[in-house]
């Protein structure tokens, strides 16, 4: 994955656009743009990057991002294989900040919308019943024209603004420090880690890939990712471990080595540092949720 590239999504005549994106994989470029974005994953799985946030995504993933917040939904490696029959589908809305003026957002009736706008600058994941409601409205908005499309967008934003089940993604301290020339370098680093996290990743090899010394690469990477390179690699590995723990095909020791950890004790320590739970507690929590849903 690279440093984010800067994109402009809307033309001067557009308030918002809706896209139904179908393809072999999602856009693999780490990027940002001046518009707000609402993304619903109708088909596909992978790793989601929003600012300094790293997590897995599956079908039903619903996220809103604010202007100039770098993001990427990277499909898993099998989606990129030449003979893959896998496909992805994302329903996406881009809308301009000018949809709401500052004076309008400051009024009492727009309090919840204003809070939604403020939170989106960190990225927001919605869950519970809301993704299903938004999916239905996204399918409807594709059939609307003119001002009725605006009304449908406002309905979507109102539902998101009142959703009680959400999480903020990027940390409060995250600042987009990317410059135009960073995109290619960061993409190389992200792609390399995503393809090699199961093996030992040597810091000097990654630095050499960017024609940097180890120390200069560390100084380069940390302010752009808002974390050390080691922490970044561990988050990718733990994200894959979460996926394997929920599939229940491996025991915890096997998962540890499958994710690139050469010591179970280190895996357990890193897993708890990132998720707040031990691998066993994480798997048990998921099993309890499944049992509750089946009761």
């Amino acid at each position: 994955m690279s440093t984010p590239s800067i994109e402009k999504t809307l033309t001067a005549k557009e308030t918002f656009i809706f896209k139904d994106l179908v393809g072999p994989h999602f856009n693999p470029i780490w990027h940002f743009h001046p518009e707000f974005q609402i993304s619903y994953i109708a088909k596909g799985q992978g790793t989601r990057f929003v600012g300094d946030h790293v997590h897995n995504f599956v079908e039903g993933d619903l996220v809103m991002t604010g202007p100039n917040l770098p993001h990427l939904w990277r499909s898993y490696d099998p989606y990129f294989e030449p003979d893959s029959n896998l496909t992805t589908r994302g329903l996406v809305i881009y809308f301009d900040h000018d949809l709401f003026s500052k004076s309008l957002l400051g009024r009492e009736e727009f309090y919840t919308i204003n809070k939604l706008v403020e939170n989106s600058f960190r990225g927001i994941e919605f869950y519970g019943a809301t993704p299903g409601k938004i999916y239905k409205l996204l399918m409807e908005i594709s059939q609307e024209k003119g001002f009725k499309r605006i009304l449908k967008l406002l309905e979507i934003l109102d539902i998101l603004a009142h959703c009680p089940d959400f999480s903020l993604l990027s940390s409060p301290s995250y600042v987009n420090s990317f410059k135009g020339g960073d995109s290619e370098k960061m993409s190389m680093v992200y792609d390399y880690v995503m393809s090699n996290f199961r093996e030992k990743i040597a810091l000097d090899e990654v630095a050499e890939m960017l024609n940097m010394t180890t120390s200069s690469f560390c100084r380069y990477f940390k302010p752009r990712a808002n974390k050390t390179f080691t922490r970044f690699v561990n988050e990718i590995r733990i994200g894959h471990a979460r996926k394997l723990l929920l599939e229940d095909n491996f025991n915890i020791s096997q998962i540890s080595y499958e994710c690139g950890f050469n010591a179970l004790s280190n895996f357990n320590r890193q897993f708890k540092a990132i998720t707040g739970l031990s691998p066993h507690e994480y798997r048990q929590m998921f099993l309890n949720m499944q049992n509750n849903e089946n009761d």
Side-chain angles (χ1 to χ4, degrees), residues 9-10 15-21 33 35-40 62-65 71 90-96 99 134-135 137-142 149-150 152-157 160:
T9 304
L10 299 177
T15 303
F16 82 96
I17 57 174
F18 167 80
K19 291 185 177 182
D20 189 342
L21 304 172
H33 43 72
E35 295 84 13
F36 293 88
Q37 177 175 324
I38 299 171
S39 303
Y40 178 87
L62 177 64
V63 168
M64 178 174 172
T65 53
H71 53 269
L91 307 178
V92 184
I93 285 178
Y94 305 90
F95 68 94
D96 196 89
L99 184 65
I134 299 302
Y135 171 72
L137 290 170
L138 289 171
M139 297 305 295
E140 293 174 1
I141 207 171
S142 64
R149 282 168 60 86
I150 299 292
K152 195 67 70 173
L153 172 61
L154 294 177
E155 184 178 356
I156 288 172
L157 293 173
L160 296 181

Short mmCIF file of all heavy atoms in Angstrom, two decimals, residues 9-10 15-21 33 35-40 62-65 71 90-96 99 134-135 137-142 149-150 152-157 160:
data_model
loop_
_atom_site.label_atom_id
_atom_site.label_comp_id
_atom_site.label_asym_id
_atom_site.label_seq_id
_atom_site.Cartn_x
_atom_site.Cartn_y
_atom_site.Cartn_z
N THR A 9 -13.19 13.92 -6.50
CA THR A 9 -14.25 13.01 -6.93
C THR A 9 -15.41 13.73 -7.62
O THR A 9 -15.93 13.27 -8.62
CB THR A 9 -14.80 12.24 -5.72
OG1 THR A 9 -13.70 11.57 -5.07
CG2 THR A 9 -15.82 11.21 -6.14
N LEU A 10 -15.83 14.89 -7.09
CA LEU A 10 -16.98 15.61 -7.63
C LEU A 10 -16.56 16.70 -8.61
O LEU A 10 -15.48 17.28 -8.48
CB LEU A 10 -17.78 16.25 -6.49
CG LEU A 10 -18.38 15.33 -5.43
CD1 LEU A 10 -19.07 16.14 -4.36
CD2 LEU A 10 -19.35 14.35 -6.06
N THR A 15 -23.46 17.92 -6.36
CA THR A 15 -23.55 17.95 -4.90
C THR A 15 -23.07 16.64 -4.31
O THR A 15 -22.37 16.60 -3.30
CB THR A 15 -25.00 18.20 -4.45
OG1 THR A 15 -25.47 19.42 -5.04
CG2 THR A 15 -25.10 18.31 -2.93
N PHE A 16 -23.46 15.55 -4.95
CA PHE A 16 -22.97 14.25 -4.54
C PHE A 16 -23.11 13.28 -5.71
O PHE A 16 -23.84 13.54 -6.67
CB PHE A 16 -23.71 13.73 -3.31
CG PHE A 16 -25.05 13.08 -3.60
CD1 PHE A 16 -25.17 11.71 -3.73
CD2 PHE A 16 -26.20 13.86 -3.72
CE1 PHE A 16 -26.39 11.11 -3.99
CE2 PHE A 16 -27.42 13.27 -3.98
CZ PHE A 16 -27.52 11.89 -4.11
N ILE A 17 -22.37 12.17 -5.62
CA ILE A 17 -22.51 11.13 -6.62
C ILE A 17 -22.62 9.78 -5.91
O ILE A 17 -22.11 9.61 -4.79
CB ILE A 17 -21.33 11.09 -7.62
CG1 ILE A 17 -19.99 10.92 -6.90
CG2 ILE A 17 -21.33 12.31 -8.51
CD1 ILE A 17 -18.82 10.73 -7.85
N PHE A 18 -23.30 8.85 -6.55
CA PHE A 18 -23.43 7.49 -6.06
C PHE A 18 -22.75 6.56 -7.05
O PHE A 18 -22.93 6.70 -8.26
CB PHE A 18 -24.90 7.10 -5.91
CG PHE A 18 -25.11 5.62 -5.69
CD1 PHE A 18 -24.92 5.06 -4.45
CD2 PHE A 18 -25.48 4.80 -6.76
CE1 PHE A 18 -25.10 3.70 -4.25
CE2 PHE A 18 -25.67 3.44 -6.57
CZ PHE A 18 -25.48 2.89 -5.31
N LYS A 19 -21.95 5.62 -6.54
CA LYS A 19 -21.27 4.66 -7.40
C LYS A 19 -21.54 3.24 -6.91
O LYS A 19 -21.46 2.96 -5.71
CB LYS A 19 -19.76 4.91 -7.43
CG LYS A 19 -19.35 6.19 -8.13
CD LYS A 19 -17.84 6.31 -8.24
CE LYS A 19 -17.43 7.55 -9.01
NZ LYS A 19 -15.95 7.64 -9.16
N ASP A 20 -21.86 2.37 -7.85
CA ASP A 20 -22.01 0.94 -7.58
C ASP A 20 -20.79 0.28 -8.21
O ASP A 20 -20.72 0.07 -9.42
CB ASP A 20 -23.30 0.42 -8.22
CG ASP A 20 -23.63 -1.00 -7.79
OD1 ASP A 20 -22.73 -1.70 -7.30
OD2 ASP A 20 -24.80 -1.43 -7.97
N LEU A 21 -19.78 0.00 -7.37
CA LEU A 21 -18.47 -0.45 -7.85
C LEU A 21 -18.36 -1.97 -7.79
O LEU A 21 -18.34 -2.56 -6.71
CB LEU A 21 -17.36 0.19 -7.00
CG LEU A 21 -17.38 1.73 -6.94
CD1 LEU A 21 -16.37 2.22 -5.91
CD2 LEU A 21 -17.10 2.32 -8.30
N HIS A 33 -9.43 12.37 -0.44
CA HIS A 33 -10.07 13.36 -1.31
C HIS A 33 -10.83 14.36 -0.45
O HIS A 33 -11.09 14.11 0.74
CB HIS A 33 -11.00 12.68 -2.32
CG HIS A 33 -11.85 11.58 -1.73
ND1 HIS A 33 -12.90 11.83 -0.88
CD2 HIS A 33 -11.78 10.23 -1.85
CE1 HIS A 33 -13.46 10.69 -0.51
NE2 HIS A 33 -12.78 9.69 -1.08
N GLU A 35 -13.91 15.22 -0.40
CA GLU A 35 -15.33 14.93 -0.15
C GLU A 35 -15.52 13.99 1.03
O GLU A 35 -14.63 13.23 1.39
CB GLU A 35 -15.98 14.30 -1.38
CG GLU A 35 -16.04 15.19 -2.61
CD GLU A 35 -14.75 15.17 -3.40
OE1 GLU A 35 -13.90 14.28 -3.16
OE2 GLU A 35 -14.59 16.05 -4.27
N PHE A 36 -16.71 14.03 1.61
CA PHE A 36 -17.15 13.00 2.55
C PHE A 36 -17.45 11.74 1.74
O PHE A 36 -17.81 11.80 0.57
CB PHE A 36 -18.42 13.44 3.29
CG PHE A 36 -18.23 14.59 4.23
CD1 PHE A 36 -18.36 15.89 3.79
CD2 PHE A 36 -17.93 14.37 5.57
CE1 PHE A 36 -18.20 16.96 4.65
CE2 PHE A 36 -17.77 15.42 6.45
CZ PHE A 36 -17.89 16.72 5.99
N GLN A 37 -17.33 10.60 2.39
CA GLN A 37 -17.59 9.33 1.70
C GLN A 37 -18.34 8.39 2.63
O GLN A 37 -17.99 8.23 3.80
CB GLN A 37 -16.28 8.69 1.24
CG GLN A 37 -16.44 7.33 0.57
CD GLN A 37 -15.13 6.79 0.02
OE1 GLN A 37 -14.29 7.55 -0.47
NE2 GLN A 37 -14.94 5.49 0.11
N ILE A 38 -19.38 7.76 2.09
CA ILE A 38 -20.11 6.69 2.79
C ILE A 38 -19.91 5.43 1.98
O ILE A 38 -20.22 5.40 0.78
CB ILE A 38 -21.61 7.02 2.92
CG1 ILE A 38 -21.81 8.30 3.73
CG2 ILE A 38 -22.36 5.86 3.58
CD1 ILE A 38 -23.23 8.82 3.71
N SER A 39 -19.37 4.38 2.59
CA SER A 39 -19.03 3.15 1.87
C SER A 39 -19.70 1.95 2.51
O SER A 39 -19.55 1.71 3.71
CB SER A 39 -17.51 2.93 1.89
OG SER A 39 -16.82 4.04 1.34
N TYR A 40 -20.42 1.20 1.68
CA TYR A 40 -21.04 -0.05 2.14
C TYR A 40 -20.46 -1.19 1.30
O TYR A 40 -20.48 -1.15 0.06
CB TYR A 40 -22.56 0.00 1.97
CG TYR A 40 -23.25 -1.29 2.38
CD1 TYR A 40 -23.63 -1.50 3.70
CD2 TYR A 40 -23.49 -2.30 1.45
CE1 TYR A 40 -24.24 -2.69 4.09
CE2 TYR A 40 -24.10 -3.48 1.83
CZ TYR A 40 -24.47 -3.67 3.15
OH TYR A 40 -25.08 -4.84 3.53
N LEU A 62 -19.89 -0.91 6.94
CA LEU A 62 -20.42 0.42 6.64
C LEU A 62 -19.59 1.47 7.36
O LEU A 62 -19.49 1.46 8.58
CB LEU A 62 -21.88 0.54 7.08
CG LEU A 62 -22.54 1.91 6.90
CD1 LEU A 62 -22.62 2.29 5.41
CD2 LEU A 62 -23.93 1.93 7.52
N VAL A 63 -18.98 2.37 6.59
CA VAL A 63 -18.07 3.37 7.15
C VAL A 63 -18.32 4.72 6.48
O VAL A 63 -18.59 4.80 5.28
CB VAL A 63 -16.59 2.94 6.93
CG1 VAL A 63 -15.63 4.09 7.23
CG2 VAL A 63 -16.26 1.74 7.80
N MET A 64 -18.21 5.78 7.27
CA MET A 64 -18.23 7.15 6.75
C MET A 64 -16.89 7.80 7.06
O MET A 64 -16.41 7.74 8.19
CB MET A 64 -19.36 7.95 7.37
CG MET A 64 -19.41 9.40 6.90
SD MET A 64 -20.88 10.27 7.53
CE MET A 64 -20.53 11.96 7.02
N THR A 65 -16.28 8.41 6.05
CA THR A 65 -15.01 9.11 6.24
C THR A 65 -15.18 10.57 5.86
O THR A 65 -15.94 10.92 4.95
CB THR A 65 -13.90 8.50 5.38
OG1 THR A 65 -14.32 8.42 4.01
CG2 THR A 65 -13.56 7.10 5.87
N HIS A 71 -7.64 6.59 3.24
CA HIS A 71 -8.34 5.33 3.47
C HIS A 71 -8.06 4.34 2.34
O HIS A 71 -7.64 4.72 1.25
CB HIS A 71 -9.85 5.55 3.61
CG HIS A 71 -10.45 6.32 2.46
ND1 HIS A 71 -10.56 7.70 2.46
CD2 HIS A 71 -10.95 5.92 1.28
CE1 HIS A 71 -11.11 8.10 1.34
NE2 HIS A 71 -11.36 7.04 0.59
N GLY A 90 -18.95 -2.63 -3.99
CA GLY A 90 -19.06 -1.58 -2.99
C GLY A 90 -20.04 -0.52 -3.44
O GLY A 90 -20.03 -0.10 -4.61
N LEU A 91 -20.92 -0.09 -2.55
CA LEU A 91 -21.86 0.99 -2.82
C LEU A 91 -21.35 2.23 -2.10
O LEU A 91 -21.19 2.23 -0.88
CB LEU A 91 -23.25 0.62 -2.33
CG LEU A 91 -23.81 -0.73 -2.82
CD1 LEU A 91 -25.18 -0.99 -2.22
CD2 LEU A 91 -23.89 -0.76 -4.34
N VAL A 92 -21.06 3.28 -2.86
CA VAL A 92 -20.34 4.43 -2.30
C VAL A 92 -21.03 5.73 -2.67
O VAL A 92 -21.44 5.93 -3.82
CB VAL A 92 -18.88 4.46 -2.81
CG1 VAL A 92 -18.11 5.60 -2.14
CG2 VAL A 92 -18.19 3.14 -2.57
N ILE A 93 -21.13 6.62 -1.69
CA ILE A 93 -21.61 7.99 -1.91
C ILE A 93 -20.48 8.95 -1.57
O ILE A 93 -19.83 8.82 -0.54
CB ILE A 93 -22.84 8.30 -1.04
CG1 ILE A 93 -24.08 7.60 -1.59
CG2 ILE A 93 -23.09 9.81 -0.97
CD1 ILE A 93 -25.33 7.83 -0.75
N TYR A 94 -20.26 9.92 -2.45
CA TYR A 94 -19.34 11.03 -2.19
C TYR A 94 -20.18 12.30 -2.18
O TYR A 94 -20.96 12.54 -3.11
CB TYR A 94 -18.29 11.15 -3.30
CG TYR A 94 -17.48 9.90 -3.56
CD1 TYR A 94 -17.91 8.97 -4.50
CD2 TYR A 94 -16.29 9.66 -2.89
CE1 TYR A 94 -17.17 7.82 -4.77
CE2 TYR A 94 -15.54 8.52 -3.15
CZ TYR A 94 -15.99 7.61 -4.09
OH TYR A 94 -15.26 6.47 -4.36
N PHE A 95 -20.05 13.11 -1.12
CA PHE A 95 -20.77 14.38 -1.12
C PHE A 95 -19.90 15.50 -0.60
O PHE A 95 -18.96 15.29 0.18
CB PHE A 95 -22.09 14.28 -0.33
CG PHE A 95 -21.95 14.08 1.16
CD1 PHE A 95 -21.96 15.15 2.02
CD2 PHE A 95 -21.85 12.80 1.68
CE1 PHE A 95 -21.86 14.97 3.40
CE2 PHE A 95 -21.75 12.59 3.05
CZ PHE A 95 -21.75 13.68 3.91
N ASP A 96 -20.22 16.71 -1.04
CA ASP A 96 -19.39 17.87 -0.79
C ASP A 96 -19.71 18.51 0.56
O ASP A 96 -20.85 18.45 1.04
CB ASP A 96 -19.60 18.90 -1.90
CG ASP A 96 -18.52 19.94 -1.93
OD1 ASP A 96 -17.51 19.73 -2.61
OD2 ASP A 96 -18.68 20.98 -1.25
N LEU A 99 -22.67 20.97 1.18
CA LEU A 99 -24.06 20.56 1.39
C LEU A 99 -24.62 21.18 2.66
O LEU A 99 -25.81 21.48 2.74
CB LEU A 99 -24.13 19.02 1.49
CG LEU A 99 -25.51 18.40 1.61
CD1 LEU A 99 -26.33 18.63 0.34
CD2 LEU A 99 -25.41 16.90 1.88
N ILE A 134 -29.18 1.15 5.63
CA ILE A 134 -28.47 1.99 4.67
C ILE A 134 -28.33 1.29 3.32
O ILE A 134 -28.45 1.92 2.26
CB ILE A 134 -27.09 2.39 5.22
CG1 ILE A 134 -27.25 3.19 6.51
CG2 ILE A 134 -26.30 3.18 4.19
CD1 ILE A 134 -28.07 4.46 6.38
N TYR A 135 -28.10 -0.01 3.35
CA TYR A 135 -28.01 -0.76 2.09
C TYR A 135 -29.30 -0.60 1.28
O TYR A 135 -29.27 -0.36 0.06
CB TYR A 135 -27.76 -2.25 2.39
CG TYR A 135 -27.88 -3.13 1.17
CD1 TYR A 135 -26.91 -3.10 0.16
CD2 TYR A 135 -28.97 -3.99 1.00
CE1 TYR A 135 -27.01 -3.89 -0.97
CE2 TYR A 135 -29.08 -4.79 -0.12
CZ TYR A 135 -28.10 -4.74 -1.11
OH TYR A 135 -28.21 -5.51 -2.23
N LEU A 137 -31.46 1.85 1.37
CA LEU A 137 -31.56 3.22 0.86
C LEU A 137 -30.57 3.48 -0.26
O LEU A 137 -30.86 4.23 -1.20
CB LEU A 137 -31.34 4.22 2.00
CG LEU A 137 -32.47 4.27 3.05
CD1 LEU A 137 -32.04 5.11 4.24
CD2 LEU A 137 -33.73 4.85 2.42
N LEU A 138 -29.39 2.88 -0.19
CA LEU A 138 -28.41 3.03 -1.26
C LEU A 138 -28.94 2.43 -2.56
O LEU A 138 -28.71 2.98 -3.65
CB LEU A 138 -27.09 2.38 -0.87
CG LEU A 138 -26.28 3.10 0.21
CD1 LEU A 138 -25.10 2.24 0.65
CD2 LEU A 138 -25.78 4.46 -0.28
N MET A 139 -29.62 1.30 -2.46
CA MET A 139 -30.20 0.70 -3.66
C MET A 139 -31.33 1.58 -4.21
O MET A 139 -31.52 1.65 -5.43
CB MET A 139 -30.73 -0.70 -3.33
CG MET A 139 -29.64 -1.68 -2.89
SD MET A 139 -28.28 -1.83 -4.09
CE MET A 139 -29.15 -2.55 -5.48
N GLU A 140 -32.05 2.25 -3.33
CA GLU A 140 -33.12 3.14 -3.77
C GLU A 140 -32.58 4.42 -4.40
O GLU A 140 -33.14 4.93 -5.38
CB GLU A 140 -34.04 3.48 -2.59
CG GLU A 140 -34.83 2.30 -2.06
CD GLU A 140 -35.61 2.63 -0.80
OE1 GLU A 140 -35.55 3.81 -0.36
OE2 GLU A 140 -36.29 1.73 -0.25
N ILE A 141 -31.49 4.94 -3.85
CA ILE A 141 -30.97 6.22 -4.33
C ILE A 141 -30.47 6.11 -5.77
O ILE A 141 -30.47 7.09 -6.51
CB ILE A 141 -29.84 6.72 -3.40
CG1 ILE A 141 -29.74 8.24 -3.44
CG2 ILE A 141 -28.48 6.12 -3.74
CD1 ILE A 141 -28.81 8.84 -2.39
N SER A 142 -30.07 4.92 -6.15
CA SER A 142 -29.58 4.73 -7.52
C SER A 142 -30.70 4.90 -8.54
O SER A 142 -30.44 5.13 -9.73
CB SER A 142 -28.96 3.33 -7.66
OG SER A 142 -29.93 2.32 -7.48
N ARG A 149 -33.06 12.69 -5.06
CA ARG A 149 -31.79 12.06 -4.66
C ARG A 149 -31.22 12.75 -3.43
O ARG A 149 -30.67 12.10 -2.53
CB ARG A 149 -30.79 12.13 -5.82
CG ARG A 149 -31.04 11.10 -6.89
CD ARG A 149 -30.21 11.38 -8.14
NE ARG A 149 -28.79 11.37 -7.89
CZ ARG A 149 -28.02 10.28 -7.92
NH1 ARG A 149 -28.57 9.10 -8.19
NH2 ARG A 149 -26.73 10.36 -7.70
N ILE A 150 -31.35 14.08 -3.37
CA ILE A 150 -30.87 14.84 -2.21
C ILE A 150 -31.66 14.43 -0.97
O ILE A 150 -31.09 14.24 0.12
CB ILE A 150 -31.01 16.35 -2.44
CG1 ILE A 150 -30.17 16.79 -3.65
CG2 ILE A 150 -30.58 17.13 -1.19
CD1 ILE A 150 -28.69 16.68 -3.45
N LYS A 152 -33.08 11.62 -0.39
CA LYS A 152 -32.67 10.27 0.00
C LYS A 152 -31.32 10.32 0.74
O LYS A 152 -31.11 9.60 1.72
CB LYS A 152 -32.58 9.37 -1.22
CG LYS A 152 -32.52 7.89 -0.91
CD LYS A 152 -33.81 7.37 -0.29
CE LYS A 152 -34.94 7.34 -1.28
NZ LYS A 152 -36.16 6.68 -0.73
N LEU A 153 -30.41 11.17 0.27
CA LEU A 153 -29.13 11.34 0.95
C LEU A 153 -29.34 11.89 2.36
O LEU A 153 -28.71 11.42 3.32
CB LEU A 153 -28.22 12.28 0.16
CG LEU A 153 -26.92 12.70 0.85
CD1 LEU A 153 -26.04 11.48 1.16
CD2 LEU A 153 -26.15 13.70 -0.01
N LEU A 154 -30.22 12.87 2.50
CA LEU A 154 -30.50 13.44 3.83
C LEU A 154 -31.09 12.38 4.76
O LEU A 154 -30.80 12.37 5.96
CB LEU A 154 -31.45 14.63 3.70
CG LEU A 154 -30.88 15.85 2.98
CD1 LEU A 154 -31.95 16.93 2.85
CD2 LEU A 154 -29.67 16.41 3.71
N GLU A 155 -31.91 11.49 4.22
CA GLU A 155 -32.48 10.41 5.03
C GLU A 155 -31.36 9.47 5.51
O GLU A 155 -31.35 9.05 6.68
CB GLU A 155 -33.50 9.63 4.22
CG GLU A 155 -34.21 8.55 5.00
CD GLU A 155 -35.26 7.81 4.20
OE1 GLU A 155 -35.51 8.19 3.03
OE2 GLU A 155 -35.84 6.84 4.73
N ILE A 156 -30.41 9.17 4.64
CA ILE A 156 -29.28 8.33 5.01
C ILE A 156 -28.47 8.99 6.12
O ILE A 156 -28.12 8.35 7.11
CB ILE A 156 -28.39 8.06 3.78
CG1 ILE A 156 -29.10 7.10 2.82
CG2 ILE A 156 -27.03 7.49 4.19
CD1 ILE A 156 -28.39 6.91 1.50
N LEU A 157 -28.17 10.27 5.96
CA LEU A 157 -27.38 10.98 6.96
C LEU A 157 -28.11 11.06 8.30
O LEU A 157 -27.48 10.97 9.36
CB LEU A 157 -27.03 12.38 6.45
CG LEU A 157 -26.07 12.43 5.25
CD1 LEU A 157 -25.93 13.85 4.73
CD2 LEU A 157 -24.71 11.87 5.64
N LEU A 160 -27.71 7.72 10.02
CA LEU A 160 -26.36 7.59 10.56
C LEU A 160 -26.16 8.47 11.79
O LEU A 160 -25.50 8.08 12.75
CB LEU A 160 -25.33 7.96 9.48
CG LEU A 160 -25.26 7.07 8.24
CD1 LEU A 160 -24.19 7.57 7.28
CD2 LEU A 160 -25.00 5.61 8.63
#
